[in-house]
Amino acid sequence: MPDRRSGRAGFRDVRPHSVPVGPAPPRPDEEITQAMDQPAPLSGYRQGMSHPHPELKAAPPLPEGGLRVVALGGLGEIGRNMTVFEHAGKLLIVDCGVLFPEETQPGVDVILPDFTSIRDRLDDVVAVVLTHGHEDHIGGVPYLLRERRDIPVVGSKLTLAFLEAKLKEHGIRPRAVRVREGDRRGFGPFDCEFVAVNHSIPDSLAVAIRTRAGMVLHTGDFKMDQFPLDDRITDLRAFARLGEEGVDLFLTDSTNAEVPGFTTSERELNPAIEQVMRTAPRRVIVSSFASHVHRIQQVLDAAHQYGRKVAFVGRSMVRNMGIARDLGYLKVPSGLVVSTKELEKLPDHKVTLVCTGSQGEPMAALSRMANRDHMIRIGKGDTVLLASSLIPGNENAIYRVINGLTRWGAHVVHKGNAKVHVSGHASAGELVYCYNIVKPRNVMPVHGEWRHLRANGDLAIRTGVDPDRVVIAEDGVVVDLVDGRVSITGKVPAGNVYVDGMEVGGATEASLKDRLTLAEEGVVTVVAIVDADTGALAEPPDFLARGFVHDDATFEPVVPVIEKTLATAAEEGVGDARQLEQLIARAVANWAFRTHRRKPLIIPVIIDA
């Protein structure tokens, strides 16, 4: 049988081979506590930190005994996390999430990683390891399993429960492998050990991946909350033990690398949430991520304390909180949660609603309430609590929702005016702490935009990691660990794959550009009846415009422009209808810009007389 992988320079078979790994590089004796109190400068990047170049080509074959690491999402962006590890001819995937669209991507539901580089190697995938249950880490799994349904999916109890509910909607039953902290499982040539980490969702895990090329420690999303709501702290003893064994490559969460100090504990939000429940004169509407179990627990506890009943609103919120309650991750006092119909019978000051839409998503419950497009009508005296952060790129949408809610008389409590959210990610002080415990030989910052990755890399350098061993990569960049050192060796395709309704990959950058043009500039359809013999207009053209402000006389000046264009085409012997349409489109577009400073989408239609 021919080798289907021979055409993939980025991922090809290698045979197992033992590679000796040298001792860890020496570390400075100086204190680096300054990183606890101030964000790191970008000096490390200038000192020699490895970084990708636009001219990168396809990577050469992976040397025998080496380990290849390729992020297909999550680098240079917040979301779409997916990292592929290759060793001994097999592939291990860590996370497979989605990215949510920005305003410049109209009509897009979610954005997936690009599976192109592994599509003809799906039989070599030994497992997909999920670090936790947030959408930006599990949302892409259904689309991956569509291409090969029997890939083992590895995760903790809550993570798999969230995923299985999602997969049920796609008609897929996963081959699930449940693990918990302390477990150690082998998947092909990858020996995986799972470590408890604290995040904004229960049951989060880091994963140590042992191979003959060396050990990789991938933190997933994590922080070091010393007083977590579920009393499950990040296992720094395991980090230290792995560091003593020797971590050859450390993949670390970069989201808060620019934030000084330590991330605030979740428990410090209780006073602000309780104050809202205590002082709100009417209903309290809380908006949060549908998977933020810890935050919902705080809301439930405060509502119960002040005699309010709670109803969940939104399909994903109802589903996920039901799962969390059934598995024991969400503690719900008896009689506290009721249906929305039951809430209608209660006085407003006894009502709390928990819904989705904290990021301004157009179809989420909170956005629809702000637009008066929901059965729940926001009114004067209602209090809306946005118990989440602002994901970069969503600011405009979120403030639009806040303004809409305020317009109807609601008092909106959010991160900007009250302490109602803390991050789920480690700040600079925590990252430095981990670097000093783990003492990695090589570092590859993950999960973050460019500024976050560079700041994280600089923190690693300041703790003594050789700048040449800190790799700042981006999606699709191939990073090889060979003989104990990492290097960038090439790239694979890693573009955006858009999900638009039921269609996956149908929307393109070009079609999104057309959508933006339609939204911002309008569309003009030009119907021209042309004499086939002379190439001239048989009668004045018709103009059909939408989103392009005009009256009946608007297009009169462009008729001579079209006539001149057709005359010139006739002189040059151009008679093909498609070519004439392109010429008319260009002429009308130029006229529209010169005259109105607008760039509408021009749709020309030529009809033979």
Side-chain angles (χ1 to χ4, degrees), residues 410-426:
H411 171 54
V412 183
V413 180
H414 54 89
K415 185 180 179 182
N417 59 23
K419 195 170 185 178
V420 292
H421 175 74
V422 298
S423 176
H425 303 271

Side-chain angles (χ1 to χ4, degrees), residues 108-353:
V108 174
D109 298 319
V110 292
I111 305 170
L112 300 175
D114 187 349
F115 303 146
T116 302
S117 61
I118 62 171
R119 183 161 283 119
D120 63 352
R121 293 202 56 189
L122 291 176
D123 289 343
D124 292 331
V125 177
V126 295
V128 176
V129 173
L130 303 176
T131 59
H132 63 282
H134 279 152
E135 281 293 298
D136 60 334
H137 290 258
I138 70 171
V141 174
Y143 301 93
L144 180 63
L145 294 188
R146 283 185 187 181
E147 305 201 21
R148 183 191 150 197
R149 296 196 170 211
D150 64 341
I151 299 175
V153 181
V154 185
S156 61
K157 182 167 68 170
L158 183 64
T159 301
L160 290 179
F162 280 175
L163 177 66
E164 287 167 355
K166 180 182 295 293
L167 289 173
K168 189 175 182 180
E169 299 177 358
H170 291 258
I172 298 174
R173 174 175 290 183
R175 184 180 166 190
V177 180
R178 182 184 295 179
V179 295
R180 62 182 312 250
E181 58 266 27
D183 287 351
R184 188 166 172 176
R185 299 286 184 90
F187 304 98
F190 304 95
D191 178 358
C192 297
E193 179 179 347
F194 300 91
V195 179
V197 292
N198 177 249
H199 186 39
S200 56
I201 185 173
D203 252 9
S204 297
L205 297 169
V207 56
I209 305 169
R210 294 177 175 86
T211 70
R212 294 185 181 182
M215 187 205 301
V216 177
L217 177 56
H218 191 315
T219 66
D221 289 1
F222 86 110
K223 60 179 177 177
M224 290 164 51
D225 190 341
Q226 300 303 301
F227 305 101
L229 296 175
D230 59 359
D231 297 321
R232 182 178 179 270
I233 63 174
T234 295
D235 191 351
L236 296 178
R237 292 189 300 175
F239 275 29
R241 173 175 53 78
L242 294 169
E244 289 297 320
E245 182 179 337
V247 173
D248 297 282
L249 180 58
F250 195 26
L251 275 64
T252 50
D253 179 5
S254 305
T255 309
N256 274 358
E258 291 185 310
V259 179
F262 286 72
T263 300
T264 304
S265 173
E266 295 275 352
R267 292 186 187 273
E268 294 192 24
L269 303 184
N270 286 336
I273 295 174
E274 290 174 1
Q275 181 180 4
V276 168
M277 295 294 178
R278 183 178 68 251
T279 62
R282 293 188 65 215
R283 298 177 299 180
V284 174
I285 297 96
V286 180
S287 179
S288 177
F289 292 117
S291 56
H292 204 332
V293 178
H294 290 326
R295 193 63 40 77
I296 304 305
Q297 183 68 68
Q298 290 172 296
V299 170
L300 293 181
D301 291 344
H304 182 61
Q305 180 179 351
Y306 292 101
R308 292 176 176 269
K309 297 293 185 181
V310 178
F312 296 122
V313 179
R315 186 168 57 93
S316 59
M317 181 66 73
V318 172
R319 180 191 67 197
N320 285 357
M321 291 307 107
I323 291 170
R325 179 188 57 210
D326 293 344
L327 295 179
Y329 292 94
L330 188 69
K331 306 294 191 296
V332 182
S334 178
L336 176 65
V337 175
V338 299
S339 69
T340 53
K341 287 188 176 181
E342 291 179 81
L343 282 189
E344 294 175 359
K345 305 173 184 176
L346 297 173
D348 286 343
H349 68 282
K350 295 292 185 181
V351 170
T352 297
L353 296 157

